[in-house]
Amino acid sequence: MTSRPEIHVKDLHKSFGANEVLKGIDLEIRQGEVVCVIGPSGSGKSTLLRCVNLLEEPTKGQVFVGGTELTDPDVDIDAVRRRIGMVFQQFNLFPHLTVTENLTLPQRRVLKRGKAEAAKVAAENLERVGLAEKASAYPASLSGGQQQRVAIARALAMGPEVMLFDEPTSALDPELVGDVLAVMRMLADEGMTMMVVTHEMTFAREVADRVVFMDGGVIVEDGTPEQVIGNPAHERTRHFLSRLL
Ligand code: ADP
Ligand code: MG
């Protein structure tokens, strides 16, 4: 692949007090690549994702997104964050706002878009996730899967260069998972650069270009899905995968 690295993490360390949670992470994600991050609970997956948009401040090391160093003390972090969409396990929609208002508010506040433009972009992105007919609904009237698709549309409305997903389907009833994964699959097909923490091994196998297995704050394996899921080189990876079945 010849495209530039869109996300570049160099020797990243993160401690909470005396607890070193990330112990030297090196990771490059090229433009248009989909990387799934798997690993046991507490291995540092969320912390890694949160360091990639500086929701957590690394203790040591560097993070670059689109060639800009986020860990440079002089960086305009708000400007960089606009280029990074994030979707969490909990959808974090504003309950007192309609679906459309959830999508227009951040565009207006952060990107300073006018009312009409923000509404147009909101409508386009609701259409993309298959929820155009829910524009005037309130979050509480939607299923969990629909709320998560609204959260994805809200992130997309900001026009991000990369999308980070932290277990986006883990809070959903099993029958609602498929619709959310279908939207993520569509984004992958459109060439979005994506970093996805997930336990959905079928999605990882079918959609990811690479799978990264983390354990104890380090990357144990990094390779194609066929390598890491299909034919893991390390006992720790095999043990983790066997417990998912
Ligand atoms: P994962 O997402 O793989 O389950 P996390 O990154 O959430 O793992 O957590 C890794 C470790 O870091 C855990 O031991 C957790 O308790 C600790 N940790 C995460 N966030 C914080 C925080 N804000 N303060 C203190 N400890 C934290
Ligand atoms: Mg986590």
Side-chain angles (χ1 to χ4, degrees):
M1 229 179 291
T2 54
S3 55
R4 68 182 161 93
E6 186 68 41
I7 300 174
H8 192 175
V9 174
K10 280 188 185 175
D11 192 31
L12 179 69
H13 293 251
K14 175 65 183 177
S15 297
F16 295 104
N19 183 15
E20 190 176 42
V21 168
L22 298 178
K23 301 174 179 168
I25 300 285
D26 290 286
L27 183 64
E28 273 189 44
I29 301 180
R30 322 287 303 180
Q31 214 168 38
E33 234 182 345
V34 177
V35 173
C36 283
V37 180
I38 63 172
S41 178
S43 56
K45 306 179 300 293
S46 293
T47 303
L48 171 59
L49 215 59
R50 292 168 63 82
C51 282
V52 170
N53 64 0
L54 240 56
L55 287 177
E56 297 289 355
E57 196 182 340
T59 310
K60 178 172 175 257
Q62 291 171 298
V63 177
F64 299 83
V65 173
T68 305
E69 183 183 350
L70 273 67
T71 37
D72 179 340
D74 295 328
V75 80
D76 178 354
I77 186 60
D78 291 330
V80 184
R81 259 197 212 122
R82 274 170 226 157
R83 293 151 58 179
I84 306 170
M86 180 128 180
V87 174
F88 302 89
Q89 185 174 332
Q90 300 303 336
F91 331 118
N92 301 329
L93 298 175
F94 298 115
H96 58 294
L97 298 181
T98 66
V99 164
T100 291
E101 288 162 353
N102 265 278
L103 268 70
T104 53
L105 182 77
Q107 295 182 65
R108 302 203 63 197
R109 288 241 175 108
V110 179
L111 302 179
K112 312 292 178 203
R113 281 184 185 150
K115 209 172 184 169
E117 191 194 357
K120 180 170 168 284
V121 173
E124 286 165 3
N125 282 290
L126 286 177
E127 182 78 47
R128 270 172 105 185
V129 303
L131 289 174
E133 82 281 9
K134 298 294 184 186
S136 307
Y138 283 88
S141 72
L142 305 180
S143 73
Q146 289 171 334
Q147 290 186 52
Q148 189 60 298
R149 282 147 66 199
V150 171
I152 294 172
R154 179 176 61 178
L156 292 174
M158 304 297 279
E161 289 168 31
V162 312
M163 287 284 287
L164 311 178
F165 294 87
D166 193 355
E167 299 198 31
T169 59
S170 293
L172 300 178
D173 292 334
E175 73 272 21
L176 303 176
V177 167
D179 288 345
V180 172
L181 293 180
V183 167
M184 294 167 62
R185 216 177 261 264
M186 170 195 81
L187 288 180
D189 289 342
E190 289 174 8
M192 179 65 79
T193 307
M194 294 164 59
M195 188 169 171
V196 183
V197 175
T198 187
H199 296 295
E200 295 290 336
M201 289 303 132
T202 304
F203 178 84
R205 268 182 187 273
E206 294 178 0
V207 181
D209 297 296
R210 272 161 56 212
V211 173
V212 167
F213 172 68
M214 281 182 74
D215 195 12
V218 299
I219 291 178
V220 176
E221 286 197 52
D222 179 348
T224 64
E226 299 77 54
Q227 289 167 338
V228 176
I229 301 174
N231 188 23
H234 293 262
E235 175 52 34
R236 281 199 276 177
T237 317
R238 281 195 287 272
H239 180 70
F240 171 74
L241 291 169
S242 72
R243 295 204 323 188
L244 285 184
L245 300 176

